[in-house]
Amino acid sequence: MSKVSDSTIPKASIISNFKEITKMRLSLSVVFSSLAGYLLGADEVSFYTLLLLAFGGYFMVGASNAYNQIIERDLDALMERTKNRPIPSGSMSVQSAFILATIFTILGITVLYIINPQTAMFGAISIFLYTSAYTPLKTKTPLSVFVGAIPGAIPFMLGWVAATNDFGIEPGTLFMLQFFWQFPHFWAIGWFLHEDYQKAGFNMLPTGKRDKGTAVQTILYTVWTIIVSIIPVFGFTGELKLTIVGAIVVLLLGLVMLYYAIQLFKKMTVVAARQLMLASVLYITLVQIVYVLDKFIR
């Protein structure tokens, strides 16, 4: 692959490269989770803190994604889904990506530290686990999904910690909700991208195959997600509360996701896996919105 000078890349391509190397859509969804967690934990909403959390969160996730693409650049070149990413396509150099990731790491930790030290600590842990544990494990064991679910579950709880400067049962519950949710979400992705992932040697499915075992585990983790999501209605989770109406809405959303998990078990098709993935994205987004609305409306 020939080296490309970033200074010769058209402005439009530079913007496109930035969006791709930081995975803008994914990063924005993570920022959304953090902001939702903040609104749940805050007694009084500070728009200054919200702004810091949004930028700090984007910097941290963008850095993680950039480091990930640097490490996996040769594997990305093997897969249809990723071969046109900035580094394997030659539109961004490894050096430029590394500089961007490093700057984003420093900015992210600094901005989150301004909010409070605990928020910065959890943000730093997220980057470390994503790049140093999850990324290298993807080619070695399906347990990489378990490891990756840890940094993936931090954003929702990060917002609460940003609001309270405290880690207790409330952010722990938010963490567990997003933690369990990630298994059906990523196994659905691993299912419909299984052949492409195999080209790079990624082991994303729990059994390593698109079989009944994987489908059953997907259903089980969906059930666990639903259970955790309604726990706040029972009053066991401190200041994190959920009204009966809110719990019913959250439960119904979970049952919709469970329906698609069961459909995957019945049909065992790529289409069913893709539908489950879309349902899971809709689920986590709507659940976070319901949690926030339930707090401010009750």
Side-chain angles (χ1 to χ4, degrees):
M1 186 183 298
S2 60
K3 291 186 177 180
V4 177
S5 172
D6 294 324
S7 62
T8 65
I9 300 175
K11 189 173 182 180
S13 295
I14 292 175
I15 295 173
S16 177
N17 283 344
F18 175 82
K19 291 167 64 176
E20 286 292 324
I21 202 72
T22 62
K23 294 187 182 177
M24 180 171 282
R25 285 191 297 178
L26 172 61
S27 296
L28 289 176
S29 70
V30 170
V31 168
F32 178 85
S33 294
S34 298
L35 297 182
Y38 173 83
L39 292 174
L40 288 173
D43 292 326
E44 294 183 6
V45 176
S46 165
F47 289 99
Y48 174 66
T49 304
L50 276 174
L51 197 62
L52 290 176
L53 186 59
F55 277 98
Y58 192 95
F59 288 144
M60 300 298 274
V61 182
S64 296
N65 290 326
Y67 283 130
N68 171 266
Q69 291 182 51
I70 291 169
I71 296 168
E72 294 183 348
R73 60 189 183 275
D74 293 333
L75 299 179
D76 280 347
L78 301 175
M79 297 184 290
E80 290 296 320
R81 183 179 65 93
T82 56
K83 68 181 182 181
N84 292 320
R85 282 178 174 173
I87 299 176
S89 68
S91 62
M92 177 181 281
S93 67
V94 171
Q95 182 182 32
S96 295
F98 183 78
I99 290 172
L100 176 69
T102 303
I103 291 173
F104 267 35
T105 301
I106 295 170
L107 287 175
I109 293 175
T110 302
V111 170
L112 294 181
Y113 189 85
I114 293 172
I115 298 174
N116 61 59
Q118 283 203 67
T119 304
M121 178 189 71
F122 281 119
I125 289 172
S126 177
I127 286 186
F128 175 78
L129 288 177
Y130 191 87
T131 58
S132 300
Y134 167 65
T135 296
L137 284 175
K138 285 165 69 177
T139 57
K140 302 186 185 320
T141 172
L143 287 175
S144 62
V145 175
F146 174 87
V147 176
I150 298 173
I154 285 177
F156 201 14
M157 57 151 269
L158 190 73
W160 187 289
V161 174
T164 64
N165 194 24
D166 180 58
F167 181 84
I169 192 169
E170 301 92 348
T173 303
L174 298 180
F175 175 88
M176 293 306 295
L177 169 57
Q178 200 152 5
F179 177 79
F180 283 118
W181 166 81
Q182 287 185 83
F183 290 92
H185 174 70
F186 280 108
W187 286 338
I189 295 174
W191 188 295
F192 70 77
L193 290 176
H194 183 62
E195 293 175 354
D196 209 24
Y197 278 145
Q198 283 189 314
K199 295 175 184 176
F202 289 153
N203 297 299
M204 304 301 289
L205 298 178
T207 66
K209 303 174 184 177
R210 292 189 283 203
D211 59 11
K212 291 291 186 182
T214 289
V216 167
Q217 291 191 55
T218 301
I219 291 173
L220 291 176
Y221 276 88
T222 301
V223 171
W224 276 113
T225 302
I226 295 171
I227 292 172
V228 174
S229 72
I230 61 173
I231 283 178
V233 77
F234 299 107
F236 302 145
T237 53
E239 294 302 313
L240 179 63
K241 303 179 187 301
L242 197 60
T243 64
I244 293 176
V245 173
I248 290 172
V249 175
V250 168
L251 175 61
L252 290 174
L253 291 171
L255 292 177
V256 171
M257 184 174 162
L258 180 61
Y259 167 80
Y260 285 103
I262 293 171
Q263 289 303 303
L264 177 61
F265 176 81
K266 288 181 176 179
K267 298 178 180 179
M268 304 281 289
T269 63
V270 168
V271 172
R274 192 179 296 274
Q275 289 174 337
L276 173 58
M277 185 274 292
L278 293 173
S280 69
V281 172
L282 188 63
Y283 166 83
I284 197 65
T285 304
L286 292 178
V287 164
Q288 289 169 349
I289 291 173
V290 170
Y291 265 55
V292 172
L293 290 177
D294 187 76
K295 172 188 174 179
F296 287 99
I297 292 176
R298 79 168 77 108

